[in-house]
Every structure is written in structure tokens, then in C-alpha cells.
Amino acid sequence: MFKYCKAQGIPTPLTFHDWDTFVQAVADGQIAFPIFMKPICGSGSVGAHKVYTMEQAKNDWFSGQHDYIIQELMTEGDCDADVYVDAISHKAVAAFSKRKIETRIGGASKTISYKDPKLFAFIEKIASAFKFCGPLDMDFFIKDGEYLLSEVNPRFGGAYLHAYGAGVDFFPLIWNNMNGIENQSIIGQYEDDILMLMYDDVVIRKKSELVNDNFSLI
């Protein structure tokens, strides 16, 4: 994906999947420690970590625990967007962007909405470079005031409820496409500073309060 984005002129974090190429890049000053290592195929941030020295990077790379990629460490913030790409025009027609306030187990648990025309234009450029269709979850890093694409998940994002609750409803868009109707853009049609807070709760009840004679917990 890094190579494809680079060829399409889409900014994305510098990424390596070859040890010798990475070592040469360090020697050439293209990338410097600390760096970021993560499995090329992973979930829930398992195996993702900062690395501070070449010795540590080499030990982790050749440990056999994961098939790693190495990326430049992004420290200037991040955000994500719930995006709908029309199934007929293949253009981005809805985008709900939010800043992450808190992340747990790889997913955002506290987010706040915001709007930036620069990000919306970047999302439209990304959609034009790929042939996506339907709901997407896009993640971005920020570097020197510019957005860099981190990843695209071709599905509803785990925090899509925030977009839905703020009025960015993908389901009429899906229904239109199912009926051969091309959607018009509604990008940016929501309010700034709408918060979403996810939380876990504990429920303690007697068994008799939750089940009846026709159902068993066992």
C-alpha cells in the first residue's frame, strides 16, 4: 500500500518491509530513531511498539515473533474519518472526521467531531486513486500541518456510531445505490465539537431477573 500511495502522490508514513533497505535509509538520513514497528498483518495493536535503537530494531526484526514493517514515528497527532464512496460514481460523497481523545485496544473510545476542508479534499483524492465502494474507515496522521494516510479499512469503522449520531447516515446512501441511484455529496454536513464517549459497564443481576423457564445460561 505504501508503494501504491507513493506512486499515486498520496502522502503516507515512510514504510519499510526490507531490513537492508531500512538500514541504508537510516545511513542516508531518510529516517531516524525512534521508529515504529508493527506486524504487517495484525489486530488490536498487538506487537506494535516504539523502537529507540538499531540494536533493539535488529533484535525485534529477527526475533521471529512477527513479520514486521518499520515506519517513521508519527508524533504530531492523528484523526480518522468515516467515509462513504458512492457505488456508481466511486466518488466520496460523505465524510465525518473526528479527533481521537482516547484509544483502547486499537479502537477509539472517545472522539470529537471537527471539519477541515483540507482533509475533505484529501479524502476525495484518495477515493479517486482507488476503486472503493461503500463505507470506509480512514485513519490519518498529521505531520508539518499536512495529512498523511495511515490506513483504509473497507468497512464500517468501530466508531461509526459517532457519525450516525451526528447525523451522517450512510444507510440512505446504501439504499440509493442498491436502487441504482447515484448519491450527491453531503461531505461536511454535520456540526463541529460533537463528542462521543464509549464505555464499559458492569451489570449484576439475579439469574431469575434475566432468564425465564424456557432459557438457560448453561
Side-chain angles (χ1 to χ4, degrees), residues 17-113:
H17 190 222
D18 178 81
W19 176 255
D20 292 335
T21 303
F22 163 69
V23 171
Q24 187 61 51
V26 173
D28 293 341
Q30 297 179 37
I31 187 171
F33 289 93
I35 58 169
F36 194 72
M37 292 181 66
K38 64 181 181 181
I40 195 168
C41 295
S43 178
S45 299
V46 174
H49 60 288
K50 296 179 185 178
V51 177
Y52 295 89
T53 65
M54 181 65 80
E55 181 181 7
Q56 181 188 0
K58 185 175 182 179
N59 288 339
D60 292 349
W61 184 272
F62 292 103
S63 67
Q65 292 184 344
H66 299 285
D67 181 10
Y68 281 110
I69 57 174
I70 294 173
Q71 294 184 314
E72 59 179 315
L73 183 64
M74 310 302 294
T75 60
E76 298 180 37
D78 65 341
C79 65
D80 64 43
D82 298 289
V83 177
Y84 188 83
V85 175
D86 190 80
I88 298 172
S89 68
H90 295 289
K91 296 180 180 179
V93 294
F96 178 82
S97 55
K98 53 194 182 292
R99 301 186 192 278
K100 299 174 184 178
I101 300 173
E102 180 182 86
T103 301
R104 291 183 296 167
I105 320 176
S109 56
K110 296 179 183 177
T111 54
I112 185 168
S113 67

Side-chain angles (χ1 to χ4, degrees), residues 118-150:
K118 183 188 293 186
L119 178 58
F120 294 151
F122 189 34
I123 288 170
E124 290 173 333
K125 179 179 179 179
I126 294 167
S128 70
F130 294 84
K131 195 171 183 180
F132 290 128
C133 180
L136 308 173
D137 174 28
M138 293 187 181
D139 292 324
F140 304 91
F141 287 114
I142 300 169
K143 180 180 180 182
D144 299 330
E146 301 296 328
Y147 292 101
L148 282 73
L149 178 63
S150 171

